[in-house]
Amino acid sequence: MKVLPLLLISLTLATAQALPQQPEPPSPVEPRLLGKIPDGTPPPPTPPKDGFEVPPEKILESNTHHDGKRNVTVQRITPIPLAPPAEDAAPPLPLDEAAKEQLRALR
């Protein structure tokens, strides 16, 4: 009978140690902003690109179409000279026997 109280006390202590301990509350940290927060306004529009100007002597035909508040001009011009095409690449060198054997071994 004297063993029963000792057994209950030891069992109580063992279960108390086995149960997870309550974690310590986190230390108070002052909140702060990292970087700039956008206010939701759209970015400014990009500036317009420079127009493609063709000298008057290169214009063969010009038509202007009026559409509401804007005018669209279509011009037919003389062809612009292009750079000569690049030369063809040299053909690949033939493989020697050692390289062919390496390829066969890989297959």
Side-chain angles (χ1 to χ4, degrees):
M1 289 232 191
K2 292 182 182 180
V3 177
L4 188 61
L6 287 174
L7 185 61
L8 288 175
I9 291 173
S10 62
L11 184 62
T12 305
L13 289 174
T15 54
Q17 288 178 352
L19 291 176
Q21 300 291 330
Q22 290 292 332
E24 294 182 18
S27 61
V29 177
E30 184 175 329
R32 61 177 191 236
L33 297 177
L34 301 176
K36 295 177 85 177
I37 296 178
D39 61 354
T41 58
T46 57
K49 296 180 181 177
D50 294 334
F52 181 70
E53 296 293 326
V54 178
E57 61 269 6
K58 300 273 184 173
I59 298 174
L60 300 176
E61 183 182 347
S62 180
N63 293 325
T64 302
H65 302 280
H66 305 286
D67 183 22
K69 294 183 180 180
R70 64 181 185 164
N71 296 329
V72 178
T73 302
V74 179
Q75 296 176 336
R76 195 170 134 230
I77 61 172
T78 58
I80 300 171
L82 300 176
E87 295 181 15
D88 291 337
L93 298 174
L95 296 176
D96 58 349
E97 286 301 317
K100 288 181 183 178
E101 287 298 322
Q102 288 177 348
L103 283 175
R104 285 188 201 114
L106 291 174
R107 293 181 187 171

